[in-house]
Each structure stands twice: as structure tokens, then as C-alpha cells.
Amino acid sequence: MTIRFDGRVAIVTGAGVGLGRSHALGLAARGAKVVVNDLGVATDGTGSSDAAKQVVHEIREAGGHAIANGANVANADQVQAMVDEAIAEFGHVDILVNNAGILRDKTFAKMHLDDFQSVLDVHLMGSVNCTHALWRHMIEREYGRIVFTTSASGMYGNFGQANYGAAKSAMLGLMNVLHQEGHRKGIRVNMLAPTAATRMTEALLPPAVLPLLAPETITPGLLALVSEDAPAKMILGAGGGCFAETKIYETEGVALPDDDMTPEAVMANMARIRDPQGQQEMPGAFDQTNKYIRKAADLRGISLDQKD
């Protein structure tokens, strides 16, 4: 199987440097037409879109097709204008890679709420704005590949990144709902959880490991997630050429009887509640609800098959 993107059009946000640049070049090398979006390439989001123009130049020099766009993903009007420009230039958009991000790292006690909001605006609302601007277009065409960029900071936590972690973990709920709303219309939504040596992480990693975590070791995973035969509703961890899936499981848990439904009983059963034996993945929110209904009814001898 050879993965190609001939005839496909992709928008990659935050594509002036680092991961975004690697993703844009990777898509173009396999035939995609690419909108290279970047507002600024400093870690705080400042700068200019000149880097995006340089990536476009590289793509065109290699025989590909690309345009640069400096829209601020946190601005819904600018994002809509970017999408309109992409459709005017290329006719349609098939792939969206939500990659743009900034950092405002501080401990929660020292963090100003403006910095918390700024990170949410770019990472979370930036992804929402771009996806919303394309959603109807993809629904109408019955095809779409969307990737949100999450992070281990959101899934597992990282000191000093309450804002970043909150924004990145929010991607999970967004992906899960959009999967349910879009999969019947040919839209596949996934998340990429990269560990890469970029402008945002190079100061946090030992110099010796930086070559191992080049952005180019992540991009093959991204290309798989936006391919014709892409999976759906997947969290793909990637770094150093290593790839793994992250899943959320729920333990079997316990059902407490009416006469012992107390916090003391919950604490007394904590070992059983946390026991991973029999844990399972929940396809959707009501699967969890139905599980609790079943367990509660079984404990009380209530038949759910009875009809009024």
C-alpha cells in the first residue's frame, strides 16, 4: 500500500516551522496541495508569516502546489477568510491539520488568567474555529480528514502547564463528539500526541536527545491519520519514530445497595473500584450510562426487559 494525496487539498496550521512545517512538506511530497498557515513563529505566537512563505517556496521548488496564509486561528473571521481563499484557489479542502499553538508556561499559582485564556484561544478555540469553518464543506462533500494535536501534558500532566494541559485535554471531548457527528458523512477525526524537539520543547529536553525527536519522526503518523484509509477516533502517540495508541478505559467498578450508598462505602470499596480487571473502553457517553443502569438494576433484581 502506498499512501498518496494526489487531488487532495490540506490546510496545516502553525506550519511555518517545526511539526507544522514537517507535516506540510510531507503532505506536499505525496501529492497534496497545501495551505501553509502561520501567524508568527515565536513560542508566544508573535512574529510574522514569512516562515510560512518560505515553506511554500520549498514546496513549489520541489514541484508541488501551495499557498501561504497568515490567519490568526484564534480569530474566527480570519479563519473563515483562509478557508474561503483555499476553496477559491484549489476548489475544495479535504484535510485539516490543527497544529498551531503557543506557550505561556508558569505554575498555576503564578499564572495570570490572561495567559491561561490566550493558550485556550489558540490551541482549543483555534482548532474549533478551523474545524467549524470547514465542517459543512466536508459534510456536503462527504469526505474529510481532521487531526487535532494533543499532548502528553494534557493526557498525563506536566508541571507548569495548567493552561496548555487543559487546552490539549479538551481535544479529546471535541474529537469524540465530532466522530459521532461526522463519521457517517465520511469524516474521520483523530488526535496526534507528538513528542518532538521543536521550538516549544527544545529548552526542556537534553541536547543529546534532540536529534532523536526531530519533527520528521512524527509526520509519518500524521500522514497515516489523514490518509484515505485512516482510522477514526484514535489518539496516536508519536516520537522518535515510535508510534502507540492511547486509550481511555473504565474499570468494572461496583454497585452499592440502597442501604449502604455512603461515602464510607465508596472508600471501603476503592480497591475494587480501581481494579483494572475487566476494564473496558466506552464507545460513547450513553454506553457508560447504560452500564451503570444495568449494574444498578441487577443489584436490585429489576428486569430491564419488562414493558409497561
Side-chain angles (χ1 to χ4, degrees):
M1 179 181 64
T2 299
I3 293 178
R4 295 285 305 175
F5 298 99
D6 303 290
R8 298 297 183 191
V9 178
I11 295 176
V12 184
T13 68
V17 294
L19 277 174
R21 173 182 177 275
S22 178
H23 296 340
L25 293 174
L27 283 161
R30 289 174 178 260
K33 299 177 177 67
V34 184
V35 178
V36 180
N37 163 262
D38 213 311
L39 171 65
V41 296
T43 56
D44 63 359
T46 59
S48 72
S49 58
D50 289 346
K53 296 175 184 177
Q54 177 58 37
V55 176
V56 168
H57 176 73
E58 291 181 57
I59 290 172
R60 290 176 176 174
E61 283 289 294
H65 302 274
I67 59 174
N69 185 281
N72 178 357
V73 296
N75 185 306
D77 291 337
Q78 291 185 28
V79 168
Q80 187 62 60
M82 173 178 68
V83 168
D84 292 345
E85 180 187 8
I87 294 173
E89 178 74 19
F90 297 124
H92 55 90
V93 177
D94 307 284
I95 297 165
L96 171 63
V97 181
N98 290 294
N99 174 77
I102 62 172
L103 290 178
R104 297 283 196 280
D105 290 358
K106 280 186 179 179
T107 61
F108 194 59
K110 297 180 179 179
M111 185 177 293
H112 294 290
L113 290 182
D114 286 347
D115 286 338
F116 201 105
Q117 188 66 57
S118 294
V119 170
L120 290 179
D121 287 345
V122 175
H123 287 274
L124 177 57
M125 290 311 301
S127 296
V128 170
N129 289 337
C130 293
T131 303
H132 191 263
L134 278 168
W135 192 252
R136 289 185 181 273
H137 176 72
M138 290 181 170
I139 290 286
E140 290 170 0
R141 298 189 69 245
E142 296 193 352
Y143 186 92
R145 298 292 183 266
I146 298 170
V147 169
F148 298 115
T149 304
T150 186
S151 169
S153 295
M155 296 186 294
Y156 309 123
N158 194 38
F159 190 89
Q161 291 194 316
N163 49 5
Y164 183 77
K168 290 305 191 183
S169 63
M171 304 293 183
L172 176 64
L174 184 57
M175 175 188 72
N176 287 342
V177 173
L178 293 185
H179 165 73
Q180 293 186 354
E181 295 184 4
H183 75 282
R184 292 180 182 175
K185 289 294 187 178
I187 301 175
R188 300 184 189 179
V189 188
N190 293 287
M191 291 203 300
L192 181 69
T195 297
T198 68
R199 63 194 169 94
M200 297 177 73
T201 62
E202 60 186 4
L204 305 175
L205 297 169
V209 308
L210 296 181
L212 295 176
L213 299 176
E216 291 74 18
T217 69
I218 310 291
T219 293
L222 180 279
L223 298 181
L225 292 181
V226 297
S227 66
E228 190 83 18
D229 297 320
K233 198 183 173 185
M234 180 182 186
I235 306 172
L236 179 66
C242 303
F243 301 92
E245 182 174 13
T246 298
K247 285 180 171 288
I248 294 179
Y249 292 100
E250 181 167 314
T251 66
E252 181 60 28
V254 300
L256 298 178
D258 292 333
D259 60 359
D260 196 23
M261 203 173 298
T262 64
E264 291 81 6
V266 173
M267 288 301 297
N269 284 279
M270 195 59 72
R272 291 177 59 199
I273 292 170
R274 303 185 75 175
D275 184 358
Q277 183 68 35
Q279 66 186 11
Q280 59 182 310
E281 187 179 15
M282 293 292 161
F286 275 97
D287 295 278
Q288 183 201 58
T289 300
N290 290 332
K291 170 192 165 184
Y292 292 171
I293 292 172
R294 172 182 53 78
K295 289 177 71 68
D298 288 348
L299 180 68
R300 292 160 179 82
I302 299 173
S303 174
L304 299 178
D305 295 329
Q306 292 179 348
K307 296 182 180 179
D308 295 333

